[in-house]
Amino acid sequence: DAGVIQSPRHEVTEMGQEVTLRCKPISGHDYLFWYRQTMMRGLELLIYFNNNVPIDDSGMPEDRFSAKMPNASFSTLKIQPSEPRDSAVYFCASRGKGWGADGNTIYFGEGSWLTVV
Amino acid sequence: SQKIEQNSEALNIQEGKTATLTCNYTNYSPAYLQWYRQDPGRGPVFLLLIRENEKEKRKERLKVTFDTTLKQSLFHITASQPADSATYLCALEPPGTYKYIFGTGTRLKVLA
């Protein structure tokens, strides 16, 4: 399996621009998570989906952030308008069904490194 | 507030020694706890899962303990090697939430 695939890997954008981050989860996984990682705050959960439905978006910092999952193999995280404080690494992760060791494990992509100048 | 804390920002140890990392949590009663490794520029990678009814779990040179009374997990790397240098994160899932909460991470450096 190719693992969780994220794009772009690196993005530099100007303040006020729209940013769209993309994620393809592992095939067959029914949970998808978006995390943000910074030195100050560590790894923070922004939102997660189950079977393409957003379950908990309480970690989304504000209305400038939105996430969608139109189908089981694709999700986007959008920031509009972007601000310098949004600079961080954004990780997508997915998890399989069941309660075995694999079912409890989440698999991360390599992250999208966002810099807003 | 609910949080997970890991000991110190960085831990330097000599090659061959045992590294011990700590994970403390409050206000949770998780059914299990996980440990992940993160290398610079990469996403976290799962290492071990320990359930609440397991006191200890081993995998090669790794050992994890889980004390639900103390609300603490210890992560040991025996016979440490420079290749073990990375950031180690603990994570738990508050029951019924499916939300994985991660600790602050401990950066381990093994000196040759």
Side-chain angles (χ1 to χ4, degrees), chain B residues 53-99:
Chain B
N53 61 349
E54 297 175 315
K55 295 302 181 187
E56 182 179 296
K57 196 84 167 275
R58 291 176 184 262
K59 179 182 177 182
E60 298 173 354
R61 294 182 297 109
L62 308 180
K63 184 179 85 171
V64 173
T65 62
F66 192 13
D67 189 324
T68 56
T69 301
L70 293 178
K71 293 187 180 291
Q72 180 181 81
S73 175
L74 298 179
F75 178 81
H76 306 272
I77 305 176
T78 58
S80 60
Q81 304 167 359
D84 296 326
S85 299
T87 295
Y88 292 87
L89 302 155
C90 64
L92 58 82
E93 180 185 345
T97 67
Y98 300 95
K99 294 168 63 169

Side-chain angles (χ1 to χ4, degrees), chain B:
Chain B
S1 63
Q2 299 174 332
K3 75 172 59 169
I4 305 170
E5 293 186 341
Q6 297 185 240
N7 64 320
S8 70
E9 288 190 4
L11 178 64
N12 293 338
I13 65 165
Q14 207 64 38
E15 182 177 8
K17 300 293 186 183
T18 296
T20 298
L21 284 61
T22 304
C23 175
N24 294 293
Y25 59 94
T26 59
N27 298 335
Y28 294 116
S29 296
Y32 58 89
L33 188 143
Q34 302 180 340
W35 284 88
Y36 288 76
R37 168 181 173 144
Q38 186 175 23
D39 291 290
R42 310 295 297 273
V45 175
F46 171 76
L47 293 175
L48 278 170
L49 177 151
I50 184 166
R51 300 183 186 279
E52 60 179 341
N53 61 349
E54 297 175 315
K55 295 302 181 187
E56 182 179 296
K57 196 84 167 275
R58 291 176 184 262
K59 179 182 177 182
E60 298 173 354
R61 294 182 297 109
L62 308 180
K63 184 179 85 171
V64 173
T65 62
F66 192 13
D67 189 324
T68 56
T69 301
L70 293 178
K71 293 187 180 291
Q72 180 181 81
S73 175
L74 298 179
F75 178 81
H76 306 272
I77 305 176
T78 58
S80 60
Q81 304 167 359
D84 296 326
S85 299
T87 295
Y88 292 87
L89 302 155
C90 64
L92 58 82
E93 180 185 345
T97 67
Y98 300 95
K99 294 168 63 169
Y100 289 82
I101 311 297
F102 281 80
T104 49
T106 298
R107 193 165 62 248
L108 173 68
K109 186 170 184 179
V110 181
L111 305 170

Side-chain angles (χ1 to χ4, degrees), chain A residues 16-101:
Chain A
Q17 296 298 305
E18 179 179 290
V19 174
T20 299
L21 308 178
R22 298 172 179 79
C23 175
K24 176 178 168 52
I26 292 173
S27 177
H29 281 189
D30 55 353
Y31 286 90
L32 183 139
F33 306 84
W34 281 101
Y35 283 87
R36 178 173 67 177
Q37 188 174 42
T38 61
M39 288 292 292
M40 292 297 294
R41 300 175 68 89
L43 200 58
E44 301 174 281
L45 177 64
L46 300 178
I47 184 172
Y48 77 94
F49 295 81
N50 178 219
N51 293 324
N52 314 336
V53 176
I55 302 301
D56 189 326
D57 65 354
S58 59
M60 296 285 261
E62 49 197 273
D63 292 345
R64 297 183 298 105
F65 286 69
S66 63
K68 293 182 180 179
M69 192 166 185
N71 57 62
S73 59
F74 183 66
S75 177
T76 59
L77 178 67
K78 188 174 292 187
I79 309 172
Q80 166 65 13
S82 57
E83 297 182 3
R85 61 192 167 120
D86 301 331
S87 298
V89 185
Y90 291 82
F91 286 103
C92 177
S94 70
R95 166 187 159 167
K97 297 177 175 26
W99 289 96

